[in-house]
Structure formats: C-alpha cells, structure tokens
C-alpha cells in the first residue's frame, strides 16, 4: 500500500460517505479496532490493519468508483486540470470545486498531516519560490501560506503593506503580475479590492492562489473550514449529509461564510440556521443558491433559537472596520457565543468554529474565551488545518502531489506532543 | 563537453562576434541547423550537434582567444578578481567591466537560464545567507535579487523601509555594515543617497551589490539590459557593433540610461539618438564620455525623428517624484512610444525596452500598452533576464560559478510552458 | 574524538576553570603548543594534538566531573530540560541558567563556530520553520536570529512592525500565540511591553525565545556578552573569576546590563564598577542581588576613576527615547569612552564592549569611533558571536545539539578571510 493506513481508511470512508460505525459494520470489524487503525503512526495505541482488510476495502471502494465513473464522465486527468480556472492552474474561487474534487484535495491534505504535525519532513518543492504578495496586512494568512510552502521545501519572498512600490508609481496589475511571474513559481495574492486577484491571475500562467480579495472570496479559508468539519465529524462518527450548521455574526460582509456555504451546499440535505443582527443578514443571492440544492435555510436574530440542535456553530467577528458609518445597534451581547448558551442549546458533540481573529476585548461580543479549554471549541484545530490544506493546494497546483508520499523523511528535532497547552486529547481518537 | 550545447554556441558567437548567419557560414552549416542546435534542451525541435562541429568551433574559439591573450595580458584569474572594486568582490558600478569581462558574466548568465526557466534546480549556495537591505522601497528589485539567491539554494533575510531601526538611533553606516557582515554572506543594498552603498562596501569584506543608490548607479539593471539586447540580437541575427539605440524620456535623472550607455560604449560604432523633453536631456559628461569612444550621438526632442531606423528603443519613465517643483511642460503625449509610431519609424526587427515600472495611468505618456502582444515589445523578457543575470552576479562574487553546471537537477514541479499569456513564441527560435 | 580538537580543549579549560598558561602547565606542554592546537582547522599554523594528550585531558575532566556529580545531583538529562521555564523548552530569562548550564550552552556555541565562520554548513533543522515575530523594530536582532536559524538549515517567516494586523483587531496574545504555534516550530518574540513575551510563552508548548520585552529581559544578548568575555579572556590568558568589569552609561534603563550582571554573578569574586550619570544609576535590587553572592560593587560618576584597572569595559548607549521628559544634564562628554581614556586607565589587555547600536552622531557621547582599529575594541567580535550563541539556543531548545557535529559539510563558496577590513588578527591566536 503506497499511502499510510490512516490516509487509506479516511479516504475510503469519505468516498463511501460512511461514518466510522457504519463503515466498521460494513467490513465486519469492531469500531474499536477501526479506531486504533486510524491513529497516527507512532501513537502508543496504533495498530496495523490486517492485509485482508486492505484488500476488502480496496474492492469496495473500486466498485463504488466504477459505478461513479459510468455516471460521471467528466472526472479524469490530474486534479489541477479538473479544478482549473479558465484553463489555468489557479485557485480563485470555491466555485471551481465539485464534491468529488474537494474530497480529492482533502485526501492530499491528509497525506500532508504527518508533515503538518512535525513527524515528517518533505523537500518536494526544493528550488521553487513563492511570491507571497499581501497588498493588505494579514499576518496569519501570510505566515500560514508561507509556512506551508516552506514545509514542502520551497522558499518564500514576501511583500507586505498597502503600497507596492511600483504600483504607487502607476504600474498596472498586468505589468506587476507578469514581472513577478518571471521571478517566482507561484503567487498568493491578498488584495483589498474584489476582482483584482482575478486580474493578477489573467496576466500570468503560473499558479495563483486568491488569499482574499476584499469582499470577494478567500477560498483557502473555506476549504480548511470544510476540511475541519469533515475531520471533526469523522472523529465524532457523524456524516456531513443531513447535518445542522448554525452561522452567527456578520453574515452580510463576512466573505468566509459566503464561500463556506457554497462548499457545504455540495453536500446533501443540510440545515442552515443563519443568526445575524439586523442589517448584517446573509445576502439573498447566496440563500437562493443554497436553497436551490435542496438545503433548508432558516434565518433568525435569536441566538438561542438558532443554535438549538446544531452540529456546527460557525461564529464570525463583526468586522467593524468594513462599515464604520452604518448602524450597529442590533449587535449586542445577545449575539455572543459562550459556554452557557452552548451548554443550554447544543449537545456534547457540537463543534464551535471561528475563522479568527476573534475580538477578545471587553464589549466585543465575539466568541467567548470561556470555551478555551472545552474540547468542543475547534478553532485552533481549525487554524492548524490551514497548513495541510494549503500544502495540498500548492502540491496540486504545481503538480507534485504524487511525489509527496515518497519524499517523506523523519523530523530531526523533537516537537512537543501537543502544541497548545489547552489542546484537547481525544483519548486516542484522531 | 561540460556545458550544454546552447551555452557553448552562444558563447562562441559572442566571443567571435558573429551573427548566426555569418557563424553558420563560417563553420559551413545551414542556418536552420544552427537554430535547432540553439533551442533549449527539451524543445521538440531541438537537435544534437555532431561532435565534429564541437571540435571545429572549439578550435576557432581557441585560436581567437590565443590571439587576444597576446594582445591583453591583463585578463587572467577568476572573473571576480578581474572586476574587483578596490580589491574586493563587490559590484558597485558598471565601470568595473570591460567588454571581455561583461561577456564572461553573460556566459555564466546563460548557464543559469535552465534554472531561471524552471527546467533545472541548483543548490550550490545551500547554507549561504543573503542580507537584502532595502532602505528605499523597490519591491521588484528586492524580489528579483531574493529569488535569484534562493534559486542558487541560499536563504534570504530582508529588511525594507526607509528607516533601519538602529540607524534611526544614530548608528553609522560603518557599524551597520560591519555588524550585518557578521550575520550574512553577501549584501544587496538599495539606498536613496548616492555614495552610501560605496560607504557600506568600504566597511566590509563580504560581497556587496549596489541595488541602486539614488541618482547614482544601478549596475545590475544595466547588465540585464545589455544581456537582453545581446540575446535579442542573437535571435534576430544582428550584432551590437554598429547598432542604433534610441533612448527616450527622462535622460537627465534616469540612472538606468546613464549606466547602460556606459556599458554600450564598450562596443564599437554605435549610434545613439537621445530623445528627451527640454530640461531632461542627457548630462554632457556622459555624452562626452561616449563620444570619446567614437560613437555617434544625436540629440533631439522629436520622437519621430529620433526613432527612425532604430534597432533598439529604450523608453524610460519620467520619474515625477524626483523633481516635484521643476517645469515639465515639454513632456507631452508626443513623447509616448506606441504601436503607431513604432510601426511608422522602425522595422519588424526593432526591440522595445523599458526598465519598468511603466506608468500605465491616463496621461502618463509612458510606453503604451498597445504593444503588449507585439513580439517587438521585449520588456517582460528583459525583466525575466534579471534572474539569470543576478544569479550570475552572485555566483561570480561568491566564487561558485564553476560548480553550477554539475549541481543541476531536474525540477520536480511542472511549470507552465510560457509564464505570460501574451509571451511571444518565436517559432522555435530562442 | 567526536568533536573537533579546539572545541574539546576550550571546553576542558572552561570546565577546569584554568587559563591557557595554567592548563598548559597542568598537562605538561608548552603554552605555544597549546595555542597551535587551539587554532581553527585550516589555519596555516594549526597543529594536531597527540592522542596521549587527548586521553590525559579526558581523564582530568572526567575526574573533575565525577567530583562535581557527587556535589550536585540536580544536573542530569538534556540541557533543555535543565534550563526549562515552567517545564517548557523556552528561553525567557537569564535566571534559567546556572554556571554549569551556561557553560554547557557555550560548548554548543563553540561547536557552531565553524558554521558561523562560514567554514562549514549544516542542514540539521531542514524542514523546520521559525516564526520571527518582532512587534517592535529591531533589524539587527531580527536578522541575527533569522540568519542563525537559516544556518542550521531551517526557514524563517518574519513579521515586523508595531501592529500585528490581527492584534489590531482585538485578538488576544493567547490566540495569536496558539495560532502561530500551529504554523511554525519555534518563535522568537520581541515586544515593547514587559511580560508580554511570557504571556506568549504560556499559550504554547513550542520553543519560545524572548527577543527583548521592553524594560524586561533580552537573554540572548546577555548570553552572547558573557560568551564574548569568556572567549576573549581565553585568548588573553585570563579567568573570569576575580575579574574587574566596568559598566558605563545608562545603567538604570539598559536591560542589557541588568541581565549581564546576573549572569556574571554566577562566577566568583568579581569587582564591578558602575559608572552612570545622576539619575541613570543601576537599580538597588540588582546591586543587592550581586552583592549577596560576594561580588564587590562600586558606584561612581567619574569615568576615569571607574575604569582604572578594568579587565572589561561595557559601554551602553543612553536610550534617550526611553525618558524623553527626564533630566539628562549629568550626561556629558565626560562619560565618553574613547582611546585617550582607555589608554590612560587600562592596560593592553582590556576589552571594550557595547551591545550596539552605538550613537555615532556628534554630541552623542557614546563609545568613540577612534577605537575602531584598536584590537581592544571587541564590539564587532561581540556582535559576530550572536550567530553561534543563537544557533546554540535553537539547537538546544529543539533538541538537535547532538546532531550538529555529524551534519557538517564544507562550504561551497569562498568567504573572505576576515569579514571586516579593520578586524584584528591576533597573530595566530583565537
């Protein structure tokens, strides 16, 4: 088997769309045995899966794949060709993904996990240079992309700040993009104006990743959000089909929720409850789009009502800087997601997410810090997932995803077993 | 043969100073055969050159070199010793170059082309650290130097902005330079004040490259400009000796044209037409210097008159920020190089250059975008050449140019065949 | 012998606390022979030490170590566990060190010298990423940490400037630290507020290095200062025990001298003369602390009086930006350390240090430039030592110090024999 046991099994469950319980039953093994096979290599309780199970699962997946192949003739060739934007290997929007292609990307993100968790090192992109062009400050996103590229062995050239020196002198985006393309092998672009990343992308044939274009898109964030939900659900024994997702906060300007809802709409039978203060409701066109695919959408301005029975709470920060002059009267403490309301409205299996940063100042009404040591708070696991997902994006766009597996070496240094002092340890579950 | 066939042939033609046509005649092969031997390895139409041709060309070049050796006893030892500034391996001014040494540098730049074109990877400077010190914002130059160093396997530490924290506290250039020299293995310095890079260079023995010192010099730009002209001329079957170069725009403050004219003056029998608005004419001392070497120099304020018959049009931006209060009345739309005037005054073999950035805003009168898909527009090929030329500069100053050839490995990722969507493909010519 | 001869001998002398003269006498060899064994590999005059000397020294050191082991049971396990802060592999304060552990760190810094001097290259941290987070500008410190990490083979992600974009949006240090920890393998943090680096450190389990927290600590500076004194003393044939250290300038706000005095207090019988203008005297609690350990401390406002007989002069800059409104009348030209006063008060073996930057502007009264070509001026050797000491800190905190020795390769490029044109060459002494 060329990939690790965990990657193999997680991919199989995703393809077959089965929870751990149902999958264990399908192949006739105990749930507990399956859990130990899914532990990261090197965990004390990890066990090797018998060869016969490998063969059985392979056959099931192959049969399923065969059926799908007859149904969809479109899916063929490398992933980067199937998700291409205008024929180019660029990631500009979540609209480039189907359910199949997004899950294929996540299979590659799973391959990256041993690197992201500092068990393995890869130099597969040695010699490649990333242009990390941030025309708008966003330290965490910039470092996340940069670190992901470095972990594949590449080098990073950063530019930061609102003014790109040559653009201040009247240089067009066309010229800037084409010139930078002669220097680097891929570009991540963050820009305050919607559409400008696409303009950059049109002027070059090298891979471009949209790192956020103002009120436009931020596809890598939506992808890591979906990856987080699927990974958490796998641990919790849930399927995304039929799940209940509650979104809270600024649903009007928050591009994160707009992109995430589009990706979630690729699944089946979801229920969305959208909880926003007056004036910050989700735009109608996004609601219509999601409804068209048969999802149930409910809007409310009552946090308590909207959270009841949720599987996922996705809280967002009200980005006051985006609407300085508008009225924010409706945005009160009643919108704060905290331990009390989560305990009251949701079960022990809910996960609480947030794209970060969250505003922890007094009176900000953002996601409360009183959940910090609660295992349901998934925000740091979510942020951590930025590394494997962005590594997968780079690997796919540069066409090296097939080389990663064989490029792995053991790390030389000794990383801590848990990077955060409050990180939850799920009793051997991953 | 230790170097690739193309590097060997291009170097031979440069040393013998022959066009492709004349060189093909000299060795008794068809021009078309020579063209196919000059294609990059991996092109569909590339062909291997017979061994007998290699031996023949080697003998011609050796004989020529022998004759030159008698004539000039100065040329010996490594290139970095011959171009040294005050005995140090530093690049501060184009004045450090002779025609022989600049062509030797370009031979090394040719060696770098497979890396710059993302066919090969080298790690020859692995472990070396570049201090990329930009006391004046210049994103493209900073990234170009940084990416060039990374492509040789080194690491880069950047500093940007007008204020270097310690210098704001009264630190001298002497201290800053000497302290940084203890941290890094080479420094690129960009500074708004003329002479300050030389001051940096005096305080250290490590390699220093002048990345532009205000109205002073910017030697790597002039070198990549000359390299571009020679490379384009090779494709077009022209020699630089006897060529006609038209320079347009701000010839008074544009340090780029000052340095370039000095380098071009190393060749023979050139004709320069200098086209500038009133008040922005080329300084007299530069004209005198070039005249001394027997070149013809004509000054005009009529763009049309100056461009007639040009082999190279070198347009520059009027750097309004450099003379805020002065009169710019003469700088009108009549100075704009655009498709109409190029078609009217020049042949199909002219090349249009610009040091970039160009001002593409309305009313800027800078080089027009209507040439963007015209193969005569060489500005992006020119910018691309910044990478191999800067790689060659680093390799020479650090003394690793002899190790590059044997350090090459294939790239692992799949770069696009052309990095710009509008890049000209010269029907198999390179 | 697994380490080089020089590392072995320097470590032995430090452990036995013997000068070169006494050590040579102890093992029955000529002082001159010992000096040649201590020269860097590759020096013309370097000689190999006979095997019998190795065995003899090993036995002496082992016996000494055995005696110490009975005396102190605490010392065991890897260095990073012994210097841990709250059980974590983090360097926040010099208080984490004992005399034994600081000397063990310096033994590792010695191991790094061939890399810092560009004779060898190591890639032992290949794949690791450093987050170099500077919330306050400090270019030299940032580049020194960054270059040190690069020289171990790692990659660096920098953030600079007073505003971290997400913190400006109300993000807590807890969130910022935990999120960055998911991206990188170690963090260096510089912050203008005392205690904030410790707050960063509490929110993560990955290695954190305090790069300076306002008036708080800057432990890597104090460590490289002590390393410099010990290294210079070794060359001069002096022991630190019983030495006379004069500190000059702003002793009230200068955190550098506070931390250094704490480290020096780990040694025995030192004499400190503290020379400060009125209002900038050393705080009482530090004087009391050092006195407690039996050191002699004298305070004076007369530079001449304080310098007489000093073995070390440690000058500091008066950081005017820290006390804009306070009275600085007492800070006159009488406080300037220059060649005249050093000649008058001190012998040929004094060393003059400064944490840099020094203010070289007229009227600044900082350390004079008239000592620049005087071999007693150790300020650039001191700055250079930042690289091996910071490499040692990273290697220890990440647990790779045992891998460095076997990871060394020769450099490919040709560094200058002396990086500064005025660098002193001590006639074969190192």
């Amino acid at each position: 088997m060329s990939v690790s046991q965990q990657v193999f099994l997680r991919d199989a469950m995703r393809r077959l769309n089965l929870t751990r319980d149902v999958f264990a039953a399908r192949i006739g093994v105990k749930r507990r045995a399956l859990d130990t096979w899914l532990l990261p290599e090197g965990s004390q309780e990890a066990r090797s899966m018998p060869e016969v199970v490998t063969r059985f699962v392979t056959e099931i997946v192959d049969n399923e794949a065969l059926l799908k192949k007859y149904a969809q003739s479109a899916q063929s060739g490398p992933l980067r060709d199937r998700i291409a934007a205008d024929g180019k290997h660029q990631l500009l929007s979540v609209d480039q993904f189907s359910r199949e292609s997004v899950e294929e990307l996540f299979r590659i993100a799973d391959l990256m996990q041993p690197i992201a968790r500092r068990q393995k090192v890869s130099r597969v992109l040695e010699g490649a240079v990333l242009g990390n062009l941030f025309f708008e400050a966003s330290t965490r996103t910039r470092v996340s992309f940069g670190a992901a590229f470095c972990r594949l062995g590449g080098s990073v050239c950063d530019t930061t700040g609102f003014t790109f020196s040559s653009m201040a002198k009247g240089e067009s985006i066309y010229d800037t993009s084409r010139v930078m393309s002669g220097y680097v092998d891929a570009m991540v672009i963050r820009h305050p104006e919607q559409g400008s990343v696409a303009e950059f992308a049109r002027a070059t044939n090298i891979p471009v990743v949209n790192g956020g274009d103002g009120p436009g898109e931020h596809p890598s964030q939506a992808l890591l959000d979906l990856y987080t939900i699927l990974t958490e659900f796998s641990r919790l024994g849930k399927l995304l089909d039929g799940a209940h997702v509650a979104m809270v906060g600024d649903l009007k300007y928050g591009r994160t929720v707009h992109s995430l809802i589009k990706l979630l709409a690729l699944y089946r039978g979801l229920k969305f409850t959208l909880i926003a203060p007056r004036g910050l409701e989700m735009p109608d066109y996004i609601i219509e789009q999601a409804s068209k695919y048969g999802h149930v959408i409910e809007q409310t301005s009552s946090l308590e009502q909207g959270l009841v029975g949720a599987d996922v709470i996705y809280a967002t920060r009200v980005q006051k800087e985006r609407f300085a002059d508008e009225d924010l009267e409706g945005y009160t403490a009643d919108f704060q997601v905290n331990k009390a309301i989560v305990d009251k409205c949701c079960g022990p299996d809910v996960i609480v997410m947030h794209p970060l940063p969250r505003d922890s100042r007094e009176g900000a009404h953002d996601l409360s810090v009183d959940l910090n040591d609660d295992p349901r708070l998934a925000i740091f696991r979510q942020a951590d997932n930025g590394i494997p997902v962005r590594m997968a994006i780079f690997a796919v766009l540069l066409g090296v995803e097939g080389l990663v597996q064989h490029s792995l070496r053991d790390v030389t240094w000794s990383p801590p077993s848990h990077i955060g002092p409050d990180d939850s340890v799920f009793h051997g579950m991953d």
Side-chain angles (χ1 to χ4, degrees), chain A:
Chain A
M1 177 164 42
S2 63
V3 299
S4 78
Q5 177 173 301
Q6 305 99 277
V7 172
F8 173 80
L9 287 171
R10 294 183 63 179
D11 183 51
M13 288 188 288
R14 225 159 20 213
R15 283 175 192 242
L16 299 169
N17 198 26
L18 299 177
T19 64
R20 289 195 188 186
D21 282 325
V22 179
F23 181 71
R26 173 78 178 80
I27 60 172
V29 304
K30 292 232 170 83
R31 165 67 191 269
R32 180 68 200 141
L34 178 59
D35 285 346
T36 58
W37 300 340
L38 279 162
L39 290 174
E41 251 175 277
S43 316
Q44 278 205 332
E45 303 181 52
R47 295 288 175 274
S48 269
M49 174 170 64
E51 176 60 23
V52 64
V53 179
T54 312
R55 299 208 181 173
F56 185 15
V57 173
T58 304
E59 191 151 327
I60 298 173
V61 171
D62 285 354
N63 285 342
E64 187 81 2
L66 211 64
L67 291 173
K68 277 195 185 162
K69 201 177 268 175
Y70 286 110
Q72 316 158 0
S73 58
Q75 186 178 343
S76 66
L79 179 53
R80 67 177 185 170
D81 290 343
R82 271 176 285 130
I83 63 168
D86 286 328
K88 294 182 183 182
H89 301 139
Q90 301 179 331
L91 174 56
L92 305 179
S93 163
V94 294
D95 295 338
Q96 295 170 239
F97 284 94
S98 66
R99 179 164 175 175
E100 279 72 32
S101 58
V102 84
E103 293 189 346
E104 200 169 331
L105 181 77
F106 292 166
R107 182 173 173 277
I108 297 161
D110 280 352
L111 274 173
M112 301 298 180
Q113 284 287 14
I115 308 175
R117 291 175 179 183
R118 300 106 191 252
Q119 297 157 337
K120 298 286 177 181
V121 166
S122 171
R123 309 306 288 165
V124 77
L125 281 185
E126 197 167 61
V129 180
L130 173 68
N132 214 10
L133 313 185
F134 277 65
F135 298 93
E136 181 182 60
S138 178
T139 311
R140 79 176 54 242
T141 306
R142 181 173 60 80
V143 173
S144 179
F145 274 114
F149 205 79
C150 286
R151 287 191 189 283
L152 288 168
S155 303
V156 180
C157 290
D158 275 317
T159 75
T160 53
F162 278 82
T163 57
F164 198 90
S165 55
S166 54
M167 296 181 83
K169 295 172 185 166
E171 184 172 66
S172 65
I173 285 183
Y174 180 89
D175 280 13
T176 304
S177 177
R178 176 58 189 79
V179 169
M180 292 300 300
S181 302
Y183 300 161
V184 300
D185 300 296
M187 291 191 279
V188 171
I189 297 159
R190 170 87 154 216
H191 200 283
E193 283 167 42
Q194 186 164 10
S196 54
V197 176
E199 203 178 335
F200 261 95
R202 277 193 295 276
T204 181
N205 288 331
I206 72 167
V208 169
V209 177
N210 184 352
D213 60 334
E217 286 227 33
H218 187 10
S220 65
Q221 177 70 46
L223 287 165
L224 75 88
D225 288 343
L226 177 59
Y227 180 75
T228 300
I229 294 172
L230 289 171
T231 307
E232 297 281 319
F233 275 25
S234 165
R235 176 175 53 76
L236 296 167
K238 290 178 173 185
L239 288 183
L240 181 49
D241 288 339
H244 173 189
V245 178
M247 295 178 158
V248 185
D250 170 13
L251 306 183
K252 183 175 178 189
Y253 297 99
R255 65 184 166 199
T256 313
V257 288
H258 301 176
S259 293
L260 177 57
I261 214 168
K262 283 186 191 178
L263 279 185
L264 287 170
L266 298 173
Y267 286 74
R268 276 176 306 208
L270 269 71
K271 176 180 172 185
F272 295 99
T273 49
L274 307 177
I275 309 153
R278 196 191 324 274
L280 294 179
E281 290 94 353
M282 181 75 75
D284 287 343
Y285 76 95
I286 291 180
I287 293 180
E288 279 163 30
Q289 214 175 342
S291 308
K292 213 172 55 187
Y293 292 103
H295 301 290
V296 174
I297 299 185
E298 292 174 6
Q299 289 188 279
T300 173
S301 60
S302 155
L303 184 63
E304 199 173 322
Q305 202 177 315
L307 293 190
V308 171
D311 297 296
V312 176
I313 302 171
Y314 195 98
T316 66
R317 187 170 64 90
V318 174
Q319 304 199 48
K320 288 168 186 162
E321 66 270 25
R322 291 219 186 271
F323 43 99
D325 301 332
E326 292 180 45
D327 187 22
L328 259 181
E329 277 179 34
Y331 189 61
T332 65
D334 296 344
F335 279 92
Q336 188 177 42
V337 175
N338 55 32
K339 190 163 166 51
I341 200 160
V342 172
D343 282 342
K344 185 171 179 189
C345 305
C346 308
D349 274 3
V350 69
I351 58 170
V352 180
M353 300 175 66
H354 191 294
L356 300 182
R358 62 173 163 174
D359 192 338
S360 295
R361 288 173 296 196
E362 288 284 325
H365 314 326
D366 204 340
L367 175 61
S368 171
V369 298
D370 69 1
L371 285 157
N372 276 7
D373 55 3
D374 189 313
R376 294 174 294 184
L377 189 80
I379 60 174
F380 298 122
R381 301 191 292 276
Q382 180 185 2
D384 292 349
N385 282 333
I387 297 293
V389 168
R390 289 182 172 116
M391 291 176 78
I393 291 169
F394 287 130
V396 165
L397 293 181
L398 287 154
V400 298
E401 72 270 37
L403 305 175
V404 172
Q405 182 69 17
H406 292 288
S407 73
L408 299 179
R409 300 195 315 249
D410 287 337
V411 292
T412 52
W413 67 96
S414 319
S417 58
H418 299 93
I419 57 175
D422 301 325
D423 284 7
S424 303
V425 184
F426 295 108
H427 308 295
M429 287 289 295
D430 187 56

